[in-house]
Amino acid sequence: MLGERNTFIPIDFSLLSSKKSIINGINKDIDKRSAGYNRRKEALQSAPEQLPGMIARSLSKGIQASYVLMDSWFTQQPLIKAIVDQGIDVIGMVKNSQQRYQVNGKMLSLKELYHRATPLPEKKGVLRVITTTMANGVAVKVVFVRNRNNKREWLAILSTDHSLSEQEIIQTYGIRWDIEVFFKTTKSLLRLQKEFQGRSYDSLISHTTIVFTRYIVLSWQNRCHNDNRTLGGVFYDLCDEMQALDWAVALQQLLELFHDALDKIGKRAQRLIKSQLSHWIAGLPTYIKAYMPDLRCES
């Protein structure tokens, strides 16, 4: 799934199956070079095993992303390292499990890490923060926040991008909620579960693709018609073009002033000054000349 603060779209998915409850297995007649065969192989993997491949496919298609946002089910140290190795930072909720973090040569649990973290003046629920290293060597910043459902407890959000402030980590992680809205919309409004039923794996893949495509169209329409910030990029591009035009016009006007001034002095001085200007114009970079095709000094 690909999302930012304004728009969310699905870009990849996988339908997983338990090895113990397979109804239709992989038919021996299926071409192993086909997408259908690869989809069936993926279905037998666990969800964390799927993510590195999905990210690699997205990057290979030219999709750019700054962060992978994950809940505590996926925020496992091997998966985090696999994602970071692909050049993308991770922000995710962390649960108190067997994972360990290194502090001053000691391996600590998440609960022990909380007591080692630096207390902060509580502001908007932020309790503590600490920069540490996971057992696999990946450096992380862990922010501890108050659990709104139980104020006696805390929650931990991990980020591999240390440059973010505590509030930026929390706000960026909050974007992950869009995927919950997406699931609710596809199931309730786009009838992902009820519109089609069958035992053909290919049909299930096709139906899911159609439903997700509907959501992409709706998301795009919403961005075009309801989000005024969509035009921001066009606005700044036009501003840059206008600035370049103003600069070109100003330089052309400056040369015209030179011409007017030259008409008032002797011919010998005119030839000398025009010769110097011609040499200067000839030495200008090509990209400047492209802005000012009329830039010349006749002698």
Side-chain angles (χ1 to χ4, degrees), residues 187-223:
K187 293 177 182 179
S188 301
L189 302 179
L190 301 181
R191 305 183 65 188
L192 177 62
Q193 292 178 313
K194 298 180 180 180
E195 186 177 38
F196 169 83
Q197 294 183 357
R199 292 188 174 183
S200 169
Y201 189 74
D202 293 320
S203 297
L204 292 173
I205 290 289
S206 300
H207 173 63
T208 305
T209 302
I210 292 171
V211 172
F212 284 12
T213 303
R214 292 173 185 164
Y215 188 92
I216 292 173
V217 173
L218 293 173
S219 183
W220 174 71
Q221 288 285 341
N222 179 70
R223 185 178 181 92

Tab-separated table of all heavy atoms in Angstrom, residues 187-223:
chain	number	residue	atom	x	y	z
A	187	LYS	N	-14.271	-3.682	2.075
A	187	LYS	CA	-15.144	-4.764	2.526
A	187	LYS	C	-16.607	-4.332	2.601
A	187	LYS	O	-17.504	-5.075	2.190
A	187	LYS	CB	-14.678	-5.273	3.893
A	187	LYS	CG	-13.328	-5.971	3.859
A	187	LYS	CD	-12.888	-6.388	5.257
A	187	LYS	CE	-11.521	-7.050	5.231
A	187	LYS	NZ	-11.064	-7.433	6.598
A	188	SER	N	-16.848	-3.128	3.110
A	188	SER	CA	-18.227	-2.695	3.345
A	188	SER	C	-18.859	-2.040	2.124
A	188	SER	O	-20.017	-2.316	1.793
A	188	SER	CB	-18.271	-1.721	4.524
A	188	SER	OG	-17.764	-2.327	5.690
A	189	LEU	N	-18.112	-1.170	1.444
A	189	LEU	CA	-18.682	-0.391	0.347
A	189	LEU	C	-18.386	-0.984	-1.026
A	189	LEU	O	-19.229	-0.928	-1.922
A	189	LEU	CB	-18.158	1.052	0.411
A	189	LEU	CG	-18.445	1.804	1.722
A	189	LEU	CD1	-17.860	3.204	1.671
A	189	LEU	CD2	-19.948	1.861	1.989
A	190	LEU	N	-17.196	-1.539	-1.202
A	190	LEU	CA	-16.831	-2.103	-2.502
A	190	LEU	C	-17.050	-3.610	-2.562
A	190	LEU	O	-16.704	-4.245	-3.553
A	190	LEU	CB	-15.365	-1.767	-2.821
A	190	LEU	CG	-15.043	-0.268	-2.877
A	190	LEU	CD1	-13.579	-0.043	-3.230
A	190	LEU	CD2	-15.935	0.445	-3.876
A	191	ARG	N	-17.578	-4.169	-1.504
A	191	ARG	CA	-18.050	-5.563	-1.447
A	191	ARG	C	-16.951	-6.571	-1.802
A	191	ARG	O	-17.152	-7.491	-2.589
A	191	ARG	CB	-19.249	-5.733	-2.376
A	191	ARG	CG	-20.381	-4.758	-2.095
A	191	ARG	CD	-21.561	-5.007	-2.987
A	191	ARG	NE	-22.153	-6.316	-2.709
A	191	ARG	CZ	-23.114	-6.872	-3.455
A	191	ARG	NH1	-23.558	-6.236	-4.521
A	191	ARG	NH2	-23.600	-8.053	-3.143
A	192	LEU	N	-15.803	-6.387	-1.193
A	192	LEU	CA	-14.691	-7.290	-1.455
A	192	LEU	C	-15.019	-8.726	-1.065
A	192	LEU	O	-14.643	-9.673	-1.757
A	192	LEU	CB	-13.446	-6.811	-0.695
A	192	LEU	CG	-12.195	-7.693	-0.797
A	192	LEU	CD1	-11.728	-7.789	-2.240
A	192	LEU	CD2	-11.082	-7.164	0.089
A	193	GLN	N	-15.744	-8.912	0.032
A	193	GLN	CA	-16.017	-10.256	0.530
A	193	GLN	C	-17.308	-10.860	-0.011
A	193	GLN	O	-17.453	-12.080	-0.038
A	193	GLN	CB	-16.078	-10.225	2.060
A	193	GLN	CG	-14.743	-9.930	2.727
A	193	GLN	CD	-14.868	-9.865	4.234
A	193	GLN	OE1	-15.765	-9.215	4.763
A	193	GLN	NE2	-13.967	-10.531	4.938
A	194	LYS	N	-18.255	-10.030	-0.456
A	194	LYS	CA	-19.589	-10.540	-0.782
A	194	LYS	C	-19.924	-10.535	-2.271
A	194	LYS	O	-20.840	-11.233	-2.694
A	194	LYS	CB	-20.640	-9.720	-0.034
A	194	LYS	CG	-20.511	-9.808	1.479
A	194	LYS	CD	-21.577	-8.982	2.166
A	194	LYS	CE	-21.445	-9.071	3.685
A	194	LYS	NZ	-22.477	-8.264	4.377
A	195	GLU	N	-19.224	-9.744	-3.054
A	195	GLU	CA	-19.591	-9.638	-4.466
A	195	GLU	C	-19.274	-10.912	-5.237
A	195	GLU	O	-19.948	-11.256	-6.203
A	195	GLU	CB	-18.856	-8.452	-5.094
A	195	GLU	CG	-19.286	-8.167	-6.530
A	195	GLU	CD	-18.591	-6.952	-7.102
A	195	GLU	OE1	-17.395	-6.753	-6.805
A	195	GLU	OE2	-19.237	-6.194	-7.838
A	196	PHE	N	-18.247	-11.624	-4.812
A	196	PHE	CA	-17.824	-12.815	-5.540
A	196	PHE	C	-17.400	-13.888	-4.546
A	196	PHE	O	-16.749	-13.597	-3.540
A	196	PHE	CB	-16.643	-12.478	-6.468
A	196	PHE	CG	-15.981	-13.684	-7.067
A	196	PHE	CD1	-16.503	-14.278	-8.201
A	196	PHE	CD2	-14.844	-14.232	-6.488
A	196	PHE	CE1	-15.895	-15.399	-8.753
A	196	PHE	CE2	-14.232	-15.344	-7.026
A	196	PHE	CZ	-14.762	-15.927	-8.169
A	197	GLN	N	-17.783	-15.119	-4.828
A	197	GLN	CA	-17.354	-16.249	-4.012
A	197	GLN	C	-16.956	-17.397	-4.933
A	197	GLN	O	-17.645	-17.681	-5.914
A	197	GLN	CB	-18.466	-16.696	-3.065
A	197	GLN	CG	-18.808	-15.665	-1.996
A	197	GLN	CD	-19.861	-16.156	-1.031
A	197	GLN	OE1	-20.379	-17.249	-1.176
A	197	GLN	NE2	-20.171	-15.338	-0.035
A	198	GLY	N	-15.869	-18.043	-4.611
A	198	GLY	CA	-15.415	-19.148	-5.439
A	198	GLY	C	-14.188	-19.798	-4.841
A	198	GLY	O	-13.605	-19.295	-3.875
A	199	ARG	N	-13.791	-20.903	-5.426
A	199	ARG	CA	-12.625	-21.637	-4.941
A	199	ARG	C	-11.445	-21.551	-5.904
A	199	ARG	O	-10.406	-22.146	-5.649
A	199	ARG	CB	-12.996	-23.102	-4.709
A	199	ARG	CG	-13.965	-23.293	-3.549
A	199	ARG	CD	-14.158	-24.760	-3.230
A	199	ARG	NE	-14.977	-24.952	-2.041
A	199	ARG	CZ	-15.249	-26.139	-1.501
A	199	ARG	NH1	-14.760	-27.242	-2.064
A	199	ARG	NH2	-15.994	-26.226	-0.417
A	200	SER	N	-11.621	-20.844	-6.986
A	200	SER	CA	-10.527	-20.667	-7.935
A	200	SER	C	-9.602	-19.559	-7.434
A	200	SER	O	-10.029	-18.414	-7.249
A	200	SER	CB	-11.071	-20.304	-9.317
A	200	SER	OG	-10.019	-19.883	-10.168
A	201	TYR	N	-8.357	-19.902	-7.223
A	201	TYR	CA	-7.403	-18.915	-6.711
A	201	TYR	C	-7.204	-17.786	-7.714
A	201	TYR	O	-7.106	-16.616	-7.338
A	201	TYR	CB	-6.072	-19.596	-6.399
A	201	TYR	CG	-5.087	-18.709	-5.675
A	201	TYR	CD1	-5.262	-18.392	-4.331
A	201	TYR	CD2	-3.982	-18.178	-6.336
A	201	TYR	CE1	-4.364	-17.574	-3.663
A	201	TYR	CE2	-3.080	-17.364	-5.676
A	201	TYR	CZ	-3.282	-17.067	-4.340
A	201	TYR	OH	-2.393	-16.254	-3.679
A	202	ASP	N	-7.164	-18.123	-8.994
A	202	ASP	CA	-7.008	-17.095	-10.024
A	202	ASP	C	-8.185	-16.127	-10.008
A	202	ASP	O	-8.011	-14.914	-10.188
A	202	ASP	CB	-6.880	-17.740	-11.405
A	202	ASP	CG	-5.594	-18.543	-11.548
A	202	ASP	OD1	-4.563	-18.070	-11.043
A	202	ASP	OD2	-5.627	-19.625	-12.150
A	203	SER	N	-9.392	-16.651	-9.796
A	203	SER	CA	-10.573	-15.788	-9.746
A	203	SER	C	-10.527	-14.865	-8.535
A	203	SER	O	-10.908	-13.694	-8.619
A	203	SER	CB	-11.844	-16.639	-9.705
A	203	SER	OG	-11.971	-17.414	-10.876
A	204	LEU	N	-10.059	-15.383	-7.413
A	204	LEU	CA	-9.945	-14.552	-6.211
A	204	LEU	C	-8.940	-13.421	-6.422
A	204	LEU	O	-9.180	-12.276	-6.019
A	204	LEU	CB	-9.519	-15.418	-5.022
A	204	LEU	CG	-10.538	-16.450	-4.528
A	204	LEU	CD1	-9.907	-17.347	-3.470
A	204	LEU	CD2	-11.772	-15.763	-3.969
A	205	ILE	N	-7.822	-13.746	-7.057
A	205	ILE	CA	-6.820	-12.718	-7.359
A	205	ILE	C	-7.415	-11.660	-8.289
A	205	ILE	O	-7.249	-10.446	-8.082
A	205	ILE	CB	-5.575	-13.353	-8.002
A	205	ILE	CG1	-4.797	-14.191	-6.977
A	205	ILE	CG2	-4.669	-12.276	-8.601
A	205	ILE	CD1	-4.080	-13.394	-5.920
A	206	SER	N	-8.136	-12.114	-9.312
A	206	SER	CA	-8.718	-11.184	-10.281
A	206	SER	C	-9.753	-10.278	-9.622
A	206	SER	O	-9.777	-9.060	-9.859
A	206	SER	CB	-9.360	-11.961	-11.434
A	206	SER	OG	-8.403	-12.756	-12.103
A	207	HIS	N	-10.610	-10.869	-8.800
A	207	HIS	CA	-11.651	-10.073	-8.145
A	207	HIS	C	-11.035	-9.036	-7.199
A	207	HIS	O	-11.459	-7.870	-7.179
A	207	HIS	CB	-12.590	-10.990	-7.362
A	207	HIS	CG	-13.582	-10.250	-6.523
A	207	HIS	ND1	-14.539	-9.415	-7.058
A	207	HIS	CD2	-13.754	-10.196	-5.174
A	207	HIS	CE1	-15.262	-8.887	-6.090
A	207	HIS	NE2	-14.810	-9.346	-4.938
A	208	THR	N	-10.036	-9.446	-6.435
A	208	THR	CA	-9.374	-8.509	-5.521
A	208	THR	C	-8.721	-7.374	-6.298
A	208	THR	O	-8.779	-6.208	-5.892
A	208	THR	CB	-8.319	-9.245	-4.675
A	208	THR	OG1	-8.931	-10.342	-3.997
A	208	THR	CG2	-7.697	-8.306	-3.654
A	209	THR	N	-8.115	-7.701	-7.430
A	209	THR	CA	-7.490	-6.673	-8.264
A	209	THR	C	-8.525	-5.669	-8.762
A	209	THR	O	-8.283	-4.454	-8.766
A	209	THR	CB	-6.780	-7.329	-9.463
A	209	THR	OG1	-5.800	-8.256	-8.983
A	209	THR	CG2	-6.098	-6.276	-10.327
A	210	ILE	N	-9.691	-6.157	-9.172
A	210	ILE	CA	-10.752	-5.267	-9.664
A	210	ILE	C	-11.234	-4.336	-8.548
A	210	ILE	O	-11.404	-3.126	-8.750
A	210	ILE	CB	-11.924	-6.093	-10.228
A	210	ILE	CG1	-11.484	-6.810	-11.507
A	210	ILE	CG2	-13.136	-5.209	-10.505
A	210	ILE	CD1	-12.488	-7.811	-12.032
A	211	VAL	N	-11.443	-4.891	-7.357
A	211	VAL	CA	-11.910	-4.075	-6.232
A	211	VAL	C	-10.876	-3.014	-5.874
A	211	VAL	O	-11.209	-1.841	-5.648
A	211	VAL	CB	-12.222	-4.968	-5.015
A	211	VAL	CG1	-12.520	-4.110	-3.787
A	211	VAL	CG2	-13.401	-5.875	-5.313
A	212	PHE	N	-9.606	-3.394	-5.833
A	212	PHE	CA	-8.554	-2.432	-5.499
A	212	PHE	C	-8.437	-1.355	-6.578
A	212	PHE	O	-8.146	-0.193	-6.278
A	212	PHE	CB	-7.223	-3.149	-5.321
A	212	PHE	CG	-7.097	-3.886	-4.009
A	212	PHE	CD1	-8.209	-4.091	-3.202
A	212	PHE	CD2	-5.879	-4.385	-3.581
A	212	PHE	CE1	-8.108	-4.772	-1.997
A	212	PHE	CE2	-5.759	-5.058	-2.376
A	212	PHE	CZ	-6.878	-5.250	-1.584
A	213	THR	N	-8.655	-1.739	-7.831
A	213	THR	CA	-8.623	-0.754	-8.917
A	213	THR	C	-9.748	0.258	-8.759
A	213	THR	O	-9.565	1.458	-9.003
A	213	THR	CB	-8.731	-1.457	-10.279
A	213	THR	OG1	-7.676	-2.417	-10.403
A	213	THR	CG2	-8.626	-0.455	-11.416
A	214	ARG	N	-10.911	-0.205	-8.346
A	214	ARG	CA	-12.015	0.722	-8.068
A	214	ARG	C	-11.604	1.734	-7.002
A	214	ARG	O	-11.887	2.928	-7.109
A	214	ARG	CB	-13.245	-0.050	-7.583
A	214	ARG	CG	-13.917	-0.928	-8.623
A	214	ARG	CD	-14.999	-1.736	-7.941
A	214	ARG	NE	-15.627	-2.703	-8.832
A	214	ARG	CZ	-16.369	-3.715	-8.418
A	214	ARG	NH1	-16.560	-3.898	-7.116
A	214	ARG	NH2	-16.916	-4.549	-9.281
A	215	TYR	N	-10.958	1.230	-5.962
A	215	TYR	CA	-10.549	2.123	-4.877
A	215	TYR	C	-9.536	3.149	-5.379
A	215	TYR	O	-9.581	4.324	-4.985
A	215	TYR	CB	-9.956	1.313	-3.728
A	215	TYR	CG	-9.685	2.137	-2.489
A	215	TYR	CD1	-10.646	2.250	-1.494
A	215	TYR	CD2	-8.483	2.821	-2.326
A	215	TYR	CE1	-10.411	3.011	-0.360
A	215	TYR	CE2	-8.247	3.585	-1.202
A	215	TYR	CZ	-9.210	3.676	-0.226
A	215	TYR	OH	-8.976	4.443	0.884
A	216	ILE	N	-8.613	2.726	-6.242
A	216	ILE	CA	-7.618	3.651	-6.785
A	216	ILE	C	-8.305	4.774	-7.561
A	216	ILE	O	-7.954	5.953	-7.431
A	216	ILE	CB	-6.620	2.900	-7.692
A	216	ILE	CG1	-5.754	1.953	-6.851
A	216	ILE	CG2	-5.735	3.875	-8.461
A	216	ILE	CD1	-4.859	1.054	-7.673
A	217	VAL	N	-9.306	4.413	-8.372
A	217	VAL	CA	-10.029	5.419	-9.153
A	217	VAL	C	-10.751	6.397	-8.225
A	217	VAL	O	-10.704	7.620	-8.422
A	217	VAL	CB	-11.030	4.743	-10.114
A	217	VAL	CG1	-11.902	5.785	-10.804
A	217	VAL	CG2	-10.285	3.909	-11.147
A	218	LEU	N	-11.409	5.868	-7.196
A	218	LEU	CA	-12.112	6.732	-6.249
A	218	LEU	C	-11.136	7.638	-5.500
A	218	LEU	O	-11.415	8.821	-5.268
A	218	LEU	CB	-12.905	5.883	-5.260
A	218	LEU	CG	-14.095	5.100	-5.838
A	218	LEU	CD1	-14.683	4.175	-4.779
A	218	LEU	CD2	-15.159	6.051	-6.361
A	219	SER	N	-9.997	7.090	-5.113
A	219	SER	CA	-8.997	7.877	-4.402
A	219	SER	C	-8.442	8.981	-5.292
A	219	SER	O	-8.229	10.119	-4.845
A	219	SER	CB	-7.868	6.960	-3.920
A	219	SER	OG	-6.916	7.664	-3.170
A	220	TRP	N	-8.216	8.653	-6.558
A	220	TRP	CA	-7.715	9.654	-7.505
A	220	TRP	C	-8.749	10.755	-7.735
A	220	TRP	O	-8.418	11.940	-7.772
A	220	TRP	CB	-7.358	8.964	-8.817
A	220	TRP	CG	-6.962	9.918	-9.904
A	220	TRP	CD1	-5.816	10.648	-9.994
A	220	TRP	CD2	-7.728	10.247	-11.062
A	220	TRP	NE1	-5.818	11.412	-11.133
A	220	TRP	CE2	-6.979	11.185	-11.809
A	220	TRP	CE3	-8.969	9.831	-11.543
A	220	TRP	CZ2	-7.442	11.712	-13.006
A	220	TRP	CZ3	-9.418	10.355	-12.742
A	220	TRP	CH2	-8.666	11.291	-13.455
A	221	GLN	N	-10.012	10.358	-7.878
A	221	GLN	CA	-11.077	11.346	-8.065
A	221	GLN	C	-11.181	12.266	-6.846
A	221	GLN	O	-11.352	13.482	-6.975
A	221	GLN	CB	-12.417	10.630	-8.293
A	221	GLN	CG	-12.543	9.961	-9.646
A	221	GLN	CD	-12.770	10.966	-10.765
A	221	GLN	OE1	-13.170	12.093	-10.525
A	221	GLN	NE2	-12.492	10.555	-11.989
A	222	ASN	N	-11.069	11.684	-5.671
A	222	ASN	CA	-11.143	12.485	-4.451
A	222	ASN	C	-9.991	13.484	-4.382
A	222	ASN	O	-10.175	14.639	-3.989
A	222	ASN	CB	-11.112	11.561	-3.232
A	222	ASN	CG	-11.170	12.336	-1.928
A	222	ASN	OD1	-12.185	12.916	-1.572
A	222	ASN	ND2	-10.062	12.344	-1.203
A	223	ARG	N	-8.818	13.048	-4.777
A	223	ARG	CA	-7.655	13.943	-4.745
A	223	ARG	C	-7.808	15.080	-5.746
A	223	ARG	O	-7.462	16.231	-5.464
A	223	ARG	CB	-6.381	13.157	-5.032
A	223	ARG	CG	-5.112	13.990	-4.900
A	223	ARG	CD	-3.884	13.147	-5.149
A	223	ARG	NE	-2.673	13.934	-5.008
A	223	ARG	CZ	-1.985	14.072	-3.890
A	223	ARG	NH1	-2.399	13.465	-2.790
A	223	ARG	NH2	-0.890	14.800	-3.836
